[in-house]
Every structure is written in structure tokens, then in C-alpha cells.
Amino acid sequence: MTLDEHSLDRLLNNACRIAREAGTAIMTIYGQGFDVTEKADRTPLTEADMAAHRHIVKGLGELTPEIPILSEESTQIPFGERSQWSSYWLVDPLDGTREFIKRNGEFTVNIALIHDHEPVLGVVFCPALDLLYSAARGLGAHRRRSATAAAEPIRVNTGQRVPVIAGSRSHGTERMQALLERVGEHELISMGSSLKFCLVAEGKADLYPRLGPTCEWDTAAAQCVVCEAGGQVTDIHMQPLRYNTKDSLLNPEFLVIGDTDRNWARYLEGL
């Protein structure tokens, strides 16, 4: 498949539809109540994760049967097989399961298309807020505040201000606190899931540092949104996050940067 702007636009529209449909399934279970189990890595799992996974895999499989799909809830696919993929869908059916369990609304459906180790399409849908962020290479980044609202272009903040930093609601660390002290005067916004990336993409935050473990499906869709909005997503050595380059699906620690004129890396030295 040729991933030109026309084909990416078509795929993006369909990925947005599939994400919304998965969100409907999630919200049905959210309203009915649910049991929580634990995966082998001791992270929580609910029926909503699996319902969204099944719907997304079916929808993407019908949309592009020739493109493989890697979901957080897939059975493990060996790197020997994955390494042969030039393009694939990378999915987190329910990002922010802890926030889902807490019922604070800060959870998302993440769908990304990876090509040559880079996200070229990304959809982040927050079903509790009916808020959708989307982007594709060359097409910019957009936000829809409801299913019937028009798509609004979004851009990172480029004006000078006291730094606004997004942080995890469930994963605070001593190193994060040390980083904040080095930055000095700042405003901190705590939020769950990949919505922190979207705060940067829409200009409400200047930086989201993640000094702890994440997986590739946690970041890919939102990385595309941030980059198309004019920002950067890099490891702590300021190199862009890349995908499907090794056996492990764990990301390095990373920075989501909106204010690209500021040297954020200097605050990380020695942490």
C-alpha cells in the first residue's frame, strides 16, 4: 500500500470511526460495572480492554487485511516475525486502565499506523469526554470536541510563559520531582493516559517527561499527534522514539516537547 496523503486521509477517517465504536463498547461496560483481573506483568485488565481489542482488531482487519496488527492484548508476536513488517497497526485498546478503574474518565483508545519504524497516523479517543485527537503525516493534527463537532487544527504553544508540565496521575516518581525542582517555577497538570501528550499537542502544556516504563502501544498514536502539531517526542538523548526495532516492546524514558526552543535536556543531566 502506498501511504500518500490521500490514502492516509482515508485510513485516518476509518481509524477514527473504529476508535469511536470501541469507545462505545468501553462506555457500555463502564456504565454496567466490571471485574478487574491481573495480567502476568501484574497490570490490571478489564472486560472493557478485551471488548475494545476485539472490535478494533476486527475493524482494522476488514479495512486493511494486508496490514498486520499488534495490540496490547494480542498474543505475543515474536520479533523474528515483527521485524519483517514495513507497516503495521499498533493499538492500545484501553490506555489508562487504572484511570478507568478509578472512574475518573482519563482513559483513551489509541490506534497508530507505523511505517518504517515511525508513526504516520494516530488516533487518540477519550470516550468519557467524547474528545478525539487525530493526525497523519502531512495532514496536521486535529481535535474534535464531540462526534458532531467540526475538526479543529491544533498546534503546540510557541509563546513565552512559565513552563506548564504534564505529569502522570498514577506514576509519580522521585526523579520526576527532582526534574521539576530543576525546572524551577512551573505549573503542573496531572492527568492519566495518553491525554498528557494531547495537552502538549494542543498547547496547554509545554513538556511531558516520562521517567519510567511504558510500552510502544502507549505512545505511538499520540506521538503522531504531537509531531503533526509541531512538537517532538524524543528519548532523553533527544532522539525520536522509534518502533519495532528490537525484541522488547518497552520504550526508553522520553520527553514530549511542545516548546522546542527550550533546552529541556539540561534538566535531565545526572538524574
Side-chain angles (χ1 to χ4, degrees), residues 69-143:
I69 303 165
L70 177 62
S71 167
E72 178 177 8
E73 309 310 338
S74 300
T75 53
Q76 191 169 1
I77 301 172
F79 182 61
E81 179 179 343
R82 287 189 282 112
S83 64
Q84 304 303 307
W85 299 348
S86 59
S87 300
Y88 68 102
W89 293 103
L90 181 57
V91 176
D92 191 341
L94 177 50
D95 182 34
T97 301
R98 288 182 175 86
E99 316 310 325
F100 179 83
I101 293 165
K102 294 174 187 173
R103 293 183 171 276
N104 66 15
E106 295 174 2
F107 48 87
T108 60
V109 177
N110 298 344
I111 300 176
L113 180 63
I114 308 297
H115 180 67
D116 289 344
H117 310 290
E118 298 178 2
V120 296
L121 177 157
V123 176
V124 177
F125 178 51
C126 179
L129 301 176
D130 197 13
L131 180 61
L132 186 142
Y133 298 88
S134 62
R137 186 174 58 191
L139 299 177
H142 294 83
R143 172 184 61 209

Coordinates of all heavy atoms in Angstrom, one line a residue, residues 69-143:
I69 N -1.5 -6.4 12.6 CA -2.0 -5.6 13.8 C -1.3 -6.1 15.0 O -1.2 -7.3 15.3 CB -3.5 -5.8 14.0 CG1 -4.3 -5.4 12.7 CG2 -4.0 -4.9 15.2 CD1 -5.7 -5.8 12.7
L70 N -0.7 -5.2 15.8 CA -0.1 -5.5 17.1 C -0.9 -4.7 18.2 O -0.9 -3.5 18.1 CB 1.4 -5.1 17.1 CG 2.1 -5.3 18.5 CD1 2.1 -6.8 18.9 CD2 3.5 -4.8 18.4
S71 N -1.6 -5.4 19.0 CA -2.4 -4.8 20.1 C -1.8 -5.2 21.4 O -1.2 -6.3 21.6 CB -3.8 -5.3 20.0 OG -4.5 -4.9 21.2
E72 N -2.0 -4.3 22.4 CA -1.5 -4.7 23.8 C -2.1 -6.0 24.2 O -1.5 -6.8 24.9 CB -1.9 -3.6 24.8 CG -1.5 -4.0 26.2 CD -1.7 -2.9 27.2 OE1 -2.4 -1.9 26.9 OE2 -1.3 -3.1 28.4
E73 N -3.3 -6.3 23.8 CA -4.0 -7.5 24.2 C -3.8 -8.7 23.2 O -4.5 -9.7 23.3 CB -5.5 -7.3 24.5 CG -5.7 -6.1 25.4 CD -5.0 -6.0 26.7 OE1 -4.5 -7.1 27.1 OE2 -4.8 -5.0 27.3
S74 N -2.9 -8.5 22.2 CA -2.6 -9.6 21.3 C -1.8 -10.7 22.0 O -1.1 -10.4 23.0 CB -1.8 -9.1 20.1 OG -2.5 -8.2 19.4
T75 N -1.8 -11.9 21.5 CA -0.8 -12.8 21.9 C 0.5 -12.4 21.4 O 0.6 -11.7 20.4 CB -1.1 -14.2 21.4 OG1 -1.3 -14.1 19.9 CG2 -2.4 -14.8 21.9
Q76 N 1.6 -12.7 22.2 CA 2.9 -12.2 21.9 C 3.3 -12.6 20.5 O 3.2 -13.8 20.1 CB 3.9 -12.6 22.9 CG 5.2 -11.9 22.8 CD 6.1 -12.2 24.0 OE1 5.7 -12.9 24.9 NE2 7.3 -11.6 24.0
I77 N 3.8 -11.6 19.7 CA 4.3 -11.9 18.3 C 5.8 -11.8 18.3 O 6.4 -10.8 18.7 CB 3.7 -10.9 17.3 CG1 2.2 -11.0 17.3 CG2 4.2 -11.2 15.9 CD1 1.5 -10.0 16.5
P78 N 6.5 -12.9 18.0 CA 8.0 -12.9 18.1 C 8.6 -11.8 17.2 O 8.1 -11.4 16.1 CB 8.4 -14.2 17.6 CG 7.2 -15.1 17.6 CD 6.0 -14.2 17.5
F79 N 9.7 -11.2 17.6 CA 10.4 -10.2 16.9 C 10.8 -10.7 15.5 O 10.8 -9.9 14.5 CB 11.6 -9.6 17.6 CG 12.3 -8.5 16.9 CD1 11.6 -7.3 16.6 CD2 13.6 -8.6 16.5 CE1 12.3 -6.3 15.9 CE2 14.3 -7.6 15.8 CZ 13.6 -6.4 15.5
G80 N 11.2 -12.0 15.4 CA 11.5 -12.5 14.1 C 10.5 -12.3 13.1 O 10.7 -12.1 11.9
E81 N 9.2 -12.4 13.5 CA 8.1 -12.1 12.6 C 7.8 -10.6 12.5 O 7.7 -10.1 11.4 CB 6.8 -12.8 13.2 CG 5.6 -12.6 12.3 CD 4.4 -13.3 12.9 OE1 4.5 -14.2 13.7 OE2 3.2 -13.0 12.5
R82 N 7.8 -9.9 13.6 CA 7.5 -8.5 13.5 C 8.6 -7.7 12.7 O 8.3 -6.7 12.1 CB 7.5 -7.9 14.9 CG 6.3 -8.3 15.8 CD 6.3 -7.4 17.1 NE 7.2 -7.9 18.1 CZ 8.3 -7.3 18.5 NH1 8.6 -6.1 18.0 NH2 9.0 -7.8 19.5
S83 N 9.8 -8.2 12.8 CA 10.9 -7.5 12.1 C 10.7 -7.4 10.6 O 11.4 -6.7 9.9 CB 12.3 -8.1 12.4 OG 12.3 -9.4 12.0
Q84 N 9.8 -8.3 10.0 CA 9.6 -8.3 8.6 C 8.5 -7.3 8.2 O 8.3 -7.1 7.0 CB 9.1 -9.7 8.2 CG 10.1 -10.9 8.6 CD 11.5 -10.6 8.0 OE1 11.6 -10.4 6.8 NE2 12.5 -10.7 8.9
W85 N 7.9 -6.7 9.2 CA 6.8 -5.7 8.8 C 7.4 -4.4 8.5 O 8.1 -3.7 9.2 CB 5.9 -5.5 10.0 CG 5.2 -6.8 10.5 CD1 5.1 -8.0 9.9 CD2 4.5 -6.9 11.8 NE1 4.4 -8.9 10.7 CE2 4.0 -8.2 11.8 CE3 4.2 -6.0 12.8 CZ2 3.2 -8.7 12.9 CZ3 3.5 -6.5 13.9 CH2 3.0 -7.8 13.9
S86 N 7.0 -3.8 7.3 CA 7.4 -2.4 7.0 C 6.3 -1.5 7.5 O 6.5 -0.4 7.9 CB 7.5 -2.3 5.5 OG 6.4 -2.6 4.8
S87 N 5.0 -2.0 7.5 CA 3.9 -1.2 8.1 C 3.1 -2.1 8.9 O 2.9 -3.3 8.7 CB 3.0 -0.7 6.9 OG 3.7 0.2 6.1
Y88 N 2.5 -1.6 10.0 CA 1.6 -2.3 10.9 C 0.8 -1.4 11.7 O 1.2 -0.2 12.0 CB 2.3 -3.4 11.7 CG 3.2 -2.8 12.8 CD1 2.8 -2.7 14.1 CD2 4.5 -2.2 12.5 CE1 3.7 -2.2 15.1 CE2 5.3 -1.7 13.4 CZ 4.9 -1.6 14.7 OH 5.7 -1.1 15.7
W89 N -0.4 -1.8 12.2 CA -1.2 -1.1 13.1 C -0.7 -1.4 14.5 O -0.4 -2.6 14.9 CB -2.7 -1.5 13.0 CG -3.3 -1.1 11.7 CD1 -3.6 -2.0 10.7 CD2 -3.8 0.2 11.4 NE1 -4.2 -1.2 9.7 CE2 -4.4 0.1 10.1 CE3 -3.8 1.4 12.0 CZ2 -5.0 1.1 9.4 CZ3 -4.4 2.5 11.4 CH2 -5.0 2.4 10.1
L90 N -0.6 -0.4 15.4 CA -0.2 -0.6 16.8 C -1.2 0.0 17.6 O -1.6 1.2 17.5 CB 1.2 0.1 17.0 CG 1.8 0.1 18.4 CD1 2.0 -1.4 18.8 CD2 3.1 0.8 18.4
V91 N -1.8 -0.8 18.5 CA -3.1 -0.5 19.2 C -3.0 -0.6 20.7 O -2.5 -1.7 21.2 CB -4.2 -1.4 18.7 CG1 -5.5 -1.1 19.4 CG2 -4.4 -1.2 17.2
D92 N -3.5 0.3 21.4 CA -3.7 0.2 22.9 C -5.3 0.3 23.0 O -5.8 1.5 22.9 CB -3.0 1.2 23.7 CG -3.1 0.8 25.2 OD1 -4.0 0.1 25.6 OD2 -2.3 1.4 26.0
P93 N -6.0 -0.8 23.2 CA -7.5 -0.7 23.1 C -8.0 0.2 24.3 O -9.1 0.8 24.1 CB -7.9 -2.1 23.2 CG -6.7 -2.9 22.9 CD -5.5 -2.1 23.3
L94 N -7.3 0.2 25.4 CA -7.8 1.0 26.6 C -6.5 1.4 27.3 O -6.0 0.7 28.2 CB -8.7 0.2 27.5 CG -9.2 0.9 28.7 CD1 -9.8 2.2 28.5 CD2 -10.3 0.0 29.4
D95 N -6.1 2.6 27.0 CA -4.9 3.2 27.6 C -5.4 3.9 28.9 O -6.2 4.8 28.8 CB -4.2 4.1 26.7 CG -2.9 4.7 27.3 OD1 -2.3 4.0 28.1 OD2 -2.6 5.9 27.0
G96 N -4.8 3.6 30.0 CA -5.2 4.2 31.3 C -6.2 3.3 32.0 O -7.2 3.8 32.5
T97 N -6.0 2.0 32.0 CA -6.9 1.1 32.7 C -7.0 1.5 34.1 O -8.1 1.3 34.7 CB -6.4 -0.4 32.5 OG1 -6.3 -0.7 31.1 CG2 -7.4 -1.3 33.2
R98 N -6.0 1.9 34.8 CA -6.1 2.3 36.2 C -7.0 3.5 36.3 O -7.8 3.6 37.3 CB -4.7 2.7 36.7 CG -3.7 1.5 36.9 CD -2.4 1.9 37.5 NE -1.6 0.8 37.9 CZ -0.7 0.2 37.0 NH1 -0.7 0.7 35.7 NH2 0.0 -0.8 37.4
E99 N -7.0 4.4 35.4 CA -7.9 5.6 35.4 C -9.4 5.1 35.2 O -10.3 5.6 35.8 CB -7.5 6.6 34.4 CG -6.1 6.9 34.3 CD -5.4 7.2 35.7 OE1 -6.1 7.8 36.6 OE2 -4.2 6.8 35.9
F100 N -9.5 4.1 34.3 CA -10.8 3.5 34.0 C -11.4 2.9 35.3 O -12.6 3.1 35.7 CB -10.7 2.4 32.9 CG -12.0 1.7 32.6 CD1 -12.9 2.2 31.7 CD2 -12.2 0.5 33.2 CE1 -14.0 1.6 31.3 CE2 -13.4 -0.2 32.8 CZ -14.3 0.3 31.9
I101 N -10.5 2.2 36.0 CA -11.0 1.5 37.3 C -11.3 2.6 38.3 O -12.3 2.4 39.1 CB -9.9 0.6 37.8 CG1 -9.7 -0.6 36.8 CG2 -10.2 0.1 39.2 CD1 -8.4 -1.4 37.0
K102 N -10.6 3.7 38.3 CA -10.8 4.8 39.3 C -12.1 5.6 38.9 O -12.5 6.4 39.7 CB -9.6 5.7 39.4 CG -8.4 5.1 40.0 CD -7.2 6.1 39.9 CE -5.9 5.5 40.3 NZ -4.8 6.4 40.0
R103 N -12.5 5.4 37.7 CA -13.7 6.1 37.1 C -13.5 7.6 37.1 O -14.4 8.4 37.4 CB -15.0 5.8 37.9 CG -15.4 4.3 37.8 CD -16.7 4.0 38.5 NE -17.2 2.7 38.2 CZ -18.0 2.4 37.2 NH1 -18.3 3.3 36.3 NH2 -18.4 1.2 37.0
N104 N -12.3 8.0 36.7 CA -12.1 9.5 36.6 C -12.2 10.0 35.1 O -11.9 11.2 34.8 CB -10.7 9.9 37.2 CG -9.5 9.3 36.5 OD1 -9.6 8.9 35.3 ND2 -8.4 9.3 37.1
G105 N -12.5 9.1 34.2 CA -12.7 9.5 32.8 C -11.4 9.7 32.0 O -11.5 9.9 30.7
E106 N -10.2 9.6 32.6 CA -9.0 9.9 31.8 C -8.4 8.6 31.2 O -7.3 8.2 31.6 CB -8.0 10.6 32.8 CG -8.5 11.9 33.3 CD -7.7 12.5 34.3 OE1 -6.6 11.9 34.7 OE2 -8.0 13.6 34.8
F107 N -9.1 8.0 30.3 CA -8.6 6.8 29.6 C -8.9 7.0 28.1 O -9.8 7.8 27.7 CB -9.2 5.5 30.1 CG -10.7 5.6 30.3 CD1 -11.6 5.3 29.3 CD2 -11.3 6.0 31.5 CE1 -13.0 5.3 29.4 CE2 -12.7 6.0 31.7 CZ -13.5 5.7 30.6
T108 N -8.1 6.3 27.3 CA -8.2 6.6 25.8 C -8.2 5.3 25.1 O -7.7 4.2 25.5 CB -7.1 7.5 25.3 OG1 -5.9 6.9 25.6 CG2 -7.2 8.9 26.0
V109 N -8.6 5.4 23.8 CA -8.4 4.3 22.8 C -7.3 4.9 21.9 O -7.4 6.0 21.4 CB -9.7 4.1 22.0 CG1 -9.4 3.1 20.8 CG2 -10.8 3.6 22.9
N110 N -6.2 4.1 21.7 CA -5.1 4.6 20.9 C -4.9 3.7 19.7 O -4.7 2.5 19.8 CB -3.8 4.5 21.7 CG -3.8 5.5 22.9 OD1 -4.6 6.3 23.0 ND2 -2.9 5.2 23.8
I111 N -4.9 4.2 18.5 CA -4.7 3.5 17.2 C -3.6 4.2 16.4 O -3.8 5.4 16.1 CB -6.0 3.3 16.4 CG1 -7.1 2.6 17.2 CG2 -5.7 2.6 15.1 CD1 -8.4 2.5 16.5
A112 N -2.6 3.6 16.1 CA -1.5 4.2 15.3 C -1.2 3.3 14.1 O -1.3 2.0 14.2 CB -0.2 4.4 16.1
L113 N -0.7 3.9 13.0 CA -0.2 3.2 11.9 C 1.3 3.5 11.9 O 1.7 4.6 11.8 CB -0.8 3.6 10.6 CG -0.3 2.9 9.3 CD1 -0.6 1.4 9.4 CD2 -1.0 3.5 8.1
I114 N 2.1 2.4 12.0 CA 3.6 2.6 11.9 C 4.1 2.2 10.5 O 3.7 1.2 10.0 CB 4.3 1.6 13.0 CG1 3.6 1.8 14.4 CG2 5.8 1.9 13.0 CD1 3.8 3.2 15.0
H115 N 5.0 3.0 10.0 CA 5.6 2.7 8.7 C 7.1 3.0 8.8 O 7.5 4.2 9.2 CB 5.0 3.5 7.6 CG 5.6 3.3 6.2 ND1 5.5 2.1 5.6 CD2 6.4 4.1 5.5 CE1 6.1 2.1 4.4 NE2 6.7 3.3 4.3
D116 N 7.9 2.1 8.5 CA 9.4 2.2 8.6 C 9.8 2.8 10.0 O 10.6 3.7 10.1 CB 9.9 3.2 7.5 CG 9.9 2.5 6.2 OD1 9.7 1.3 6.1 OD2 10.0 3.2 5.2
H117 N 9.2 2.2 11.0 CA 9.5 2.4 12.5 C 9.0 3.8 13.0 O 9.4 4.2 14.1 CB 11.1 2.3 12.7 CG 11.7 1.1 12.1 ND1 11.4 -0.2 12.7 CD2 12.5 0.9 11.0 CE1 12.1 -1.1 11.9 NE2 12.7 -0.5 11.0
E118 N 8.2 4.5 12.2 CA 7.7 5.8 12.7 C 6.2 5.8 12.6 O 5.6 5.2 11.7 CB 8.2 6.9 11.7 CG 9.7 7.1 11.7 CD 10.1 8.2 10.8 OE1 9.2 8.8 10.2 OE2 11.3 8.4 10.6
P119 N 5.5 6.5 13.6 CA 4.0 6.6 13.5 C 3.7 7.6 12.4 O 4.1 8.8 12.5 CB 3.6 7.0 14.9 CG 4.9 7.6 15.5 CD 6.0 7.0 14.8
V120 N 2.9 7.2 11.4 CA 2.5 8.1 10.3 C 1.0 8.4 10.4 O 0.5 9.2 9.6 CB 2.8 7.5 9.0 CG1 4.3 7.3 8.8 CG2 2.1 6.1 8.7
L121 N 0.3 7.8 11.4 CA -1.1 8.1 11.6 C -1.4 7.8 13.1 O -0.9 6.8 13.6 CB -2.0 7.2 10.7 CG -3.5 7.2 10.8 CD1 -4.1 6.7 9.5 CD2 -4.1 6.3 12.0
G122 N -2.2 8.6 13.7 CA -2.5 8.4 15.1 C -3.9 8.9 15.5 O -4.3 10.0 15.0
V123 N -4.6 8.1 16.2 CA -5.9 8.5 16.8 C -5.9 8.2 18.3 O -5.6 7.1 18.7 CB -7.1 7.7 16.1 CG1 -8.4 8.0 16.8 CG2 -7.1 7.9 14.6
V124 N -6.3 9.3 19.0 CA -6.4 9.1 20.5 C -7.9 9.6 20.8 O -8.2 10.8 20.6 CB -5.4 10.0 21.2 CG1 -5.6 10.0 22.7 CG2 -4.0 9.6 20.9
F125 N -8.7 8.7 21.3 CA -10.1 9.0 21.6 C -10.4 8.8 23.1 O -10.1 7.7 23.6 CB -11.0 8.1 20.7 CG -12.5 8.3 21.0 CD1 -13.0 9.6 21.0 CD2 -13.3 7.3 21.3 CE1 -14.4 9.8 21.3 CE2 -14.7 7.5 21.6 CZ -15.2 8.8 21.6
C126 N -10.9 9.8 23.7 CA -11.3 9.7 25.1 C -12.8 9.6 25.2 O -13.5 10.6 25.0 CB -10.8 11.0 25.8 SG -11.3 11.0 27.6
P127 N -13.3 8.4 25.3 CA -14.8 8.2 25.2 C -15.6 8.8 26.3 O -16.7 9.3 26.1 CB -14.9 6.6 25.2 CG -13.7 6.1 25.8 CD -12.6 7.1 25.5
A128 N -15.0 8.9 27.5 CA -15.8 9.6 28.6 C -16.0 11.0 28.4 O -17.0 11.6 28.9 CB -15.0 9.4 29.9
L129 N -15.2 11.7 27.6 CA -15.3 13.1 27.3 C -15.8 13.3 25.8 O -16.0 14.5 25.4 CB -13.9 13.8 27.5 CG -13.3 13.7 28.9 CD1 -12.0 14.4 28.9 CD2 -14.3 14.4 29.9
D130 N -15.9 12.3 25.0 CA -16.3 12.4 23.6 C -15.3 13.3 22.9 O -15.7 14.2 22.1 CB -17.7 12.8 23.4 CG -18.2 12.5 22.0 OD1 -17.5 11.8 21.3 OD2 -19.3 13.1 21.6
L131 N -14.0 13.1 23.2 CA -12.9 14.0 22.7 C -12.0 13.2 21.9 O -11.4 12.2 22.4 CB -12.2 14.6 23.9 CG -11.1 15.6 23.7 CD1 -11.5 16.8 22.9 CD2 -10.5 16.0 25.0
L132 N -11.8 13.6 20.7 CA -10.9 12.8 19.7 C -9.8 13.7 19.2 O -10.1 14.8 18.7 CB -11.8 12.3 18.6 CG -11.1 11.3 17.7 CD1 -12.0 10.2 17.3 CD2 -10.6 12.0 16.4
Y133 N -8.6 13.2 19.2 CA -7.4 13.8 18.6 C -7.0 12.9 17.5 O -7.0 11.7 17.6 CB -6.3 13.9 19.6 CG -6.6 14.8 20.8 CD1 -7.2 14.3 21.9 CD2 -6.3 16.2 20.8 CE1 -7.5 15.1 23.0 CE2 -6.6 17.0 21.9 CZ -7.2 16.5 23.0 OH -7.5 17.3 24.1
S134 N -6.6 13.5 16.4 CA -6.2 12.7 15.2 C -5.1 13.4 14.4 O -5.0 14.6 14.4 CB -7.4 12.4 14.3 OG -7.9 13.6 13.8
A135 N -4.3 12.6 13.7 CA -3.2 13.2 12.9 C -2.7 12.2 11.9 O -2.9 11.0 12.1 CB -2.0 13.7 13.8
A136 N -2.2 12.6 10.8 CA -1.5 11.8 9.9 C -0.4 12.6 9.2 O -0.5 13.8 9.1 CB -2.5 11.2 8.8
R137 N 0.6 11.9 8.8 CA 1.8 12.6 8.2 C 1.4 13.5 7.0 O 0.8 13.1 6.1 CB 2.8 11.5 7.7 CG 4.1 12.1 7.2 CD 5.1 11.0 6.9 NE 4.6 10.1 5.9 CZ 5.1 8.9 5.6 NH1 6.2 8.5 6.2 NH2 4.6 8.2 4.6
G138 N 1.7 14.8 7.2 CA 1.5 15.8 6.2 C 0.1 16.4 6.2 O -0.2 17.3 5.5
L139 N -0.8 15.9 7.1 CA -2.2 16.3 7.2 C -2.5 17.2 8.4 O -3.6 17.6 8.6 CB -3.1 15.1 7.1 CG -3.1 14.3 5.9 CD1 -4.0 13.1 6.0 CD2 -3.4 15.1 4.7
G140 N -1.5 17.4 9.3 CA -1.7 18.1 10.5 C -2.3 17.4 11.6 O -2.7 16.2 11.4
A141 N -2.6 18.0 12.7 CA -3.2 17.4 13.9 C -4.5 18.2 14.2 O -4.6 19.4 14.0 CB -2.3 17.5 15.1
H142 N -5.5 17.4 14.6 CA -6.8 18.0 14.8 C -7.5 17.4 16.1 O -7.1 16.4 16.6 CB -7.8 17.7 13.6 CG -7.3 18.3 12.3 ND1 -6.3 17.8 11.5 CD2 -7.7 19.5 11.8 CE1 -6.1 18.6 10.5 NE2 -7.0 19.7 10.6
R143 N -8.4 18.2 16.6 CA -9.2 17.8 17.8 C -10.7 18.0 17.4 O -11.1 19.0 16.8 CB -8.8 18.8 18.9 CG -9.7 18.6 20.2 CD -9.3 19.7 21.2 NE -9.4 21.0 20.6 CZ -8.7 22.1 21.0 NH1 -7.7 22.0 21.9 NH2 -8.9 23.3 20.4

